[in-house]
Amino acid sequence: MLLLILRRFSVLVLTMLAMSLMVFAVLETNPEGLARKAIGQFSTVAQRTAWLARENYYVSVSDAEEKVAFEEKGYVTFSVNEGDWLIAHAPEEGVVYPDKKISEMVDDEVNVIRALQVPMAKRYVTWLGKFVVGDFGYSYRYKVPVSKVLWPRLLETGKLIALVLLFMIPLSLLLGVLAGMREGSFQDRAFSFISIMTTSVPEFASAVLLAAVFVFWLGWLPGTSSMSSGFSWAEMVLPVTVVTLYATGYIARITRASMAEVMRSHFIRTARLKGLSRRQVIMRHALRNALITPVTAILLQIPWLLSGVIVVEYFFAYKGFGTLLWEAINNTDPFLIEACAMVSVVVVVTSQLIMDVLYIYINPRIRFQ
């Protein structure tokens, strides 16, 4: 078991590294474009260059080896008055500007520091190292470090996901097992109809319907879930219900199909011929074999719940991870987008590892080669 976990973990680490490289390449291949997104499309070249200097996209004075290497190539290096950043200019190309800050330079003067851009590979290693220790950069939307806004929002979505799973798992498994026990019966058709109906209605439609009934018509529940006065169970009812209704039908249908297939198996027929009661056949033999596929589907729901509840969180003004991701994209907050993307990757690969381990406990005959 331990060897299996280590082997799967190593594969997942490589997967995370590959995904981190993709995220970094998509968002940071063009530093100039990244600066434009961070401080505005109408910013000047000097302003964007100053921003890139502050964010370590250029070699700093502290990098002595880099400084010597540039000077050996014939460049004159000196620092800007504010920020202690290098500017390079070849002696034969003209006059240097040692007394000007980057923000005071014109476009032609700013171009002198282009030679000191940090290579992408080095920036990636630095970025990945900071991510591992929890340094995600600075959010230009919230004016605070990304970690200060990311972890509280992730915790809020974790509460929502926990409540959804608390109701979704037993309800969907119960409906699926009851439907699959008697395939083709009225019980099967009734539960299947309920499952299909809840899955067919998208979250934004069910959110509007439930809000119209329980908020505007009956007046039983609050219409928003901003938790402005602290945690409130009443404000959690509608978001949890909307997500649970949609996810329950999907899992119930998968459980029903798996249960129906197991009930037609030869070992179930043999168990019945041996005189075991229907309850013993279902609980000891059928259910355990039928749970493999539903467990896969349930664990695959966790990454979807993390970022797929954007509609529900935004509709009910719930301050969670989904809303944070939407705000980061809508406001073009590059470092916050990177952090959200990488957190999603970690959640996905972690759920895959948990799924592989649960496979062994549910059915010990399964072995991964």
Side-chain angles (χ1 to χ4, degrees), residues 26-292:
V26 168
L27 294 173
E28 300 212 20
T29 301
N30 180 18
E32 181 77 12
L34 184 67
R36 191 186 299 271
K37 292 177 182 177
I39 62 177
Q41 59 177 332
F42 300 109
S43 58
T44 65
V45 176
Q47 289 171 336
R48 292 193 293 271
T49 303
W51 183 88
L52 289 170
R54 288 195 304 269
E55 297 296 334
N56 297 327
Y57 287 87
Y58 293 98
V59 179
S60 72
V61 175
S62 59
D63 295 326
E65 294 181 0
E66 295 285 350
K67 182 176 184 296
V68 171
F70 277 102
E71 289 176 344
E72 289 177 351
K73 294 178 182 178
Y75 284 92
V76 176
T77 59
F78 56 91
S79 23
V80 180
N81 296 336
E82 182 179 68
D84 204 30
W85 294 95
L86 287 179
I87 289 182
H89 197 293
E92 65 274 14
E93 291 182 0
V95 181
V96 293
Y97 305 92
D99 298 326
K100 284 188 177 182
K101 300 178 183 178
I102 291 179
S103 57
E104 297 173 349
M105 292 182 174
V106 297
D107 292 354
D108 291 339
E109 297 171 352
V110 168
N111 288 331
V112 299
I113 69 170
R114 292 290 181 248
L116 288 178
Q117 285 187 352
V118 179
M120 183 176 174
K122 183 176 180 180
R123 287 194 286 111
Y124 168 71
V125 173
T126 303
W127 173 81
L128 185 62
K130 290 182 177 180
F131 174 81
V132 171
V133 298
D135 182 4
F136 305 130
Y138 187 82
S139 171
Y140 290 88
R141 166 69 173 83
Y142 294 97
K143 309 300 181 185
V144 294
V146 170
S147 57
K148 288 189 176 181
V149 66
L150 176 64
W151 299 126
R153 291 293 194 94
L154 195 60
L155 178 61
E156 292 303 318
T157 295
K159 295 176 183 177
L160 178 61
I161 292 176
L163 289 174
V164 169
L165 294 177
L166 180 65
F167 293 101
M168 181 195 72
I169 293 176
L171 184 59
S172 59
L173 292 181
L174 178 63
L175 290 176
V177 169
L178 292 177
M181 283 170 51
R182 294 183 172 87
E183 186 179 9
S185 64
F186 174 79
Q187 175 179 296
D188 177 24
R189 297 181 186 278
F191 290 142
S192 296
F193 173 77
I194 295 173
S195 301
I196 294 173
M197 183 178 64
T198 57
T199 307
S200 301
V201 180
E203 299 99 312
F204 64 86
S206 59
V208 172
L209 177 61
L210 292 177
V213 174
F214 293 102
V215 177
F216 297 104
W217 183 24
L218 299 176
W220 290 354
L221 297 170
T224 60
S225 304
S226 59
M227 306 291 174
S228 56
S229 302
F231 183 81
S232 171
W233 287 105
E235 294 182 13
M236 292 293 292
V237 172
L238 286 179
V240 170
T241 303
V242 170
V243 180
T244 301
L245 284 176
Y246 183 82
T248 296
Y250 174 72
I251 302 298
R253 289 293 296 168
I254 292 178
T255 306
R256 181 259 176 200
S258 182
M259 188 69 181
E261 182 180 0
V262 170
M263 292 299 292
R264 294 193 299 266
S265 302
H266 295 296
F267 70 89
I268 296 295
R269 188 180 300 112
T270 302
R272 288 177 176 175
L273 293 174
K274 287 183 177 181
L276 295 179
S277 65
R278 185 176 183 83
R279 181 178 180 278
Q280 290 177 319
V281 170
I282 292 174
M283 298 302 295
R284 292 185 181 180
H285 302 280
L287 187 58
R288 184 165 187 169
N289 288 275
L291 281 179
I292 296 177

